[in-house]
Amino acid sequence: MKAVRGRLLSFDDDPAVAGESHRYLEDGLLVLEDGTIKQIGEATDLLPGLPRDLAIDDYRDHLVMAGFIDPHIHYSQTQVIASYGAQLLDWLNTYAFVEEQKFADPAHGARIAEFFLDEALRNGTTTAAVYCTVHPASVEALFTASHARNMRMIAGKLLMDRGAPDGLLDTAQAGYDESKALIASWHGRGRQHYAVTPRFALTSTEAQLEAAGALLAEHEGVYLQTHLSENPREAEAVAALFPDDESYTAVYDRFGLLGPHSLFGHCIHLADSERTRLSESGSVAVFCPTSNLFIGSGLFDRDRARDQRFPLRIALATDVGGGTSYSMLQTAGAAYKVLQLQGQTLAPLQAFYDITLGNARSLDLDRHIGALVPGREADLVVLDARATPAMAHRMETVEGDLAEELFVLMTLGDDRAVRATYVAGERLHSRAKTS
Ligand SMILES: [Zn+2]
């Protein structure tokens, strides 16, 4: 048993729906045992009942929250991030497809998986939905490293049987067989979950999309992750390749890929009929603001995604390597800017709900993670809003206003603002105080 003392912030519900939805304890204590949260309360209330020699990590100046969740990221693109000058289809051909071929070597995958998880933890991210490459060994590498750290992860092997270099192609049958074997090995092992992962409609034949639908139907609880309507040229290419389908979404729908465990990256250029089907099926639209700006794809319209005629479940993600930061703080800051460009906004409490409990709900993992509640897994992030000279300087004018502090964090903060990250009660990342 151990404890973490700090300024505890947790969400009970979506501020957009429930209004007052967070709990904040100025001097709070979390008691951790067996990887989960055992107790939460005011430190002065709990301490008298706890053993005198209880180990306490003292972060009384800092905010302690549930670990951040990144519901769309490519671990194979840690050396693609910051690649210049191309929109989606050229970017894939010029950069992503070149790097992904290196994962044919299992040693490369193992090295990158360790880097990726280190970087996630440095940024306070404790759970992610991860695209691996077409190579099964790339999935083995990620799950092996994640399982060793006891991180809760969703990941899957890319399914691609056309539209990419030969070294990145499988076949409908091989992709099915390899995915099935990976599901058997990893889905439900420790904290690992499998996602059936057709990259997008342009790189899978109908036979492969049908196989993806079969994998979903045959394995209860597995996820589906793919890309949908990111870029106008991509959408045109899909329309040309699938002339009999009414829309891009209709292609996935025809093969049974929509549903409450289905994560669709981007969803920028959608017709109302597509929104209706995504809404009816409970599918999740994943907003990736730094990626959408960097690749020039477009602006995610959050108000439209919430339109009561066809409300979508929404998640917020980095999409590295199209995205430009591993930080969910930076991602929330970019989301704010994308919405500002459209006359919309992202209130700071809403943003921090989104990257914790909101994303946990979108991944159907909120019974495990996303909030500081007894019985939930003890995945935590400790945040320092004075981590850099510029942040400390700005914070001089913030007088006890929690929302304003959160807004400083999501605007100026990044990995430097993450003092510590806990996974299942273990502190796996710690950073010395810098200012
Ligand atoms: Zn992506």
Side-chain angles (χ1 to χ4, degrees), residues 87-212:
Q87 292 220 341
L88 178 65
L89 301 180
D90 295 330
W91 181 88
L92 286 171
N93 284 315
T94 311
Y95 301 116
F97 289 166
V98 175
E99 278 306 311
E100 290 183 14
Q101 292 183 63
K102 297 179 182 172
F103 287 74
D105 174 7
H108 180 75
R111 182 174 83 84
I112 302 296
E114 297 294 343
F115 170 84
F116 171 77
L117 295 177
D118 285 347
E119 190 62 22
L121 293 172
R122 277 165 31 75
N123 283 280
T125 297
T126 48
T127 287
V130 184
Y131 288 70
C132 303
T133 67
V134 73
H135 315 94
S138 73
V139 187
E140 289 286 347
L142 185 79
F143 276 139
T144 299
S146 169
H147 187 57
R149 299 173 193 227
N150 201 17
M151 294 175 76
R152 190 168 282 286
M153 280 287 153
I154 299 171
K157 178 199 112 75
L158 278 181
L159 299 169
M160 294 201 285
D161 66 347
R162 66 169 158 183
D166 287 347
L168 290 181
L169 295 182
D170 56 12
T171 64
Q173 188 64 46
Y176 173 88
D177 293 343
E178 290 165 353
S179 300
K180 197 174 180 68
L182 288 164
I183 291 167
S185 297
W186 287 106
H187 186 66
R189 180 163 160 194
R191 303 180 80 196
Q192 314 311 311
H193 305 261
Y194 196 80
V196 176
T197 310
R199 179 177 221 120
F200 64 162
L202 293 183
T203 45
S204 287
T205 60
E206 298 204 352
Q208 181 156 70
L209 293 171
E210 192 175 334

Side-chain angles (χ1 to χ4, degrees), residues 72 74 227 319:
H72 184 131
H74 300 253
H227 299 84
D319 190 30

Side-chain angles (χ1 to χ4, degrees), residues 249-315:
T249 301
V251 175
Y252 294 140
D253 199 9
R254 176 154 62 95
F255 297 102
L257 304 187
L258 274 53
H261 269 204
S262 296
L263 313 171
F264 292 98
H266 307 299
C267 294
I268 296 174
H269 312 281
L270 293 177
D272 287 356
S273 62
E274 298 183 271
R275 294 178 184 279
T276 300
R277 277 303 296 140
L278 291 167
S279 178
E280 288 170 349
S281 61
S283 301
V284 178
V286 188
F287 174 21
C288 307
T290 72
S291 172
N292 297 158
L293 293 171
F294 183 75
I295 302 188
S297 300
L299 305 177
F300 182 87
D301 186 339
R302 188 170 168 128
D303 279 358
R304 189 139 188 82
R306 285 185 166 153
D307 189 319
Q308 280 314 302
R309 290 174 296 162
F310 28 65
L312 299 181
R313 296 168 67 209
I314 304 170

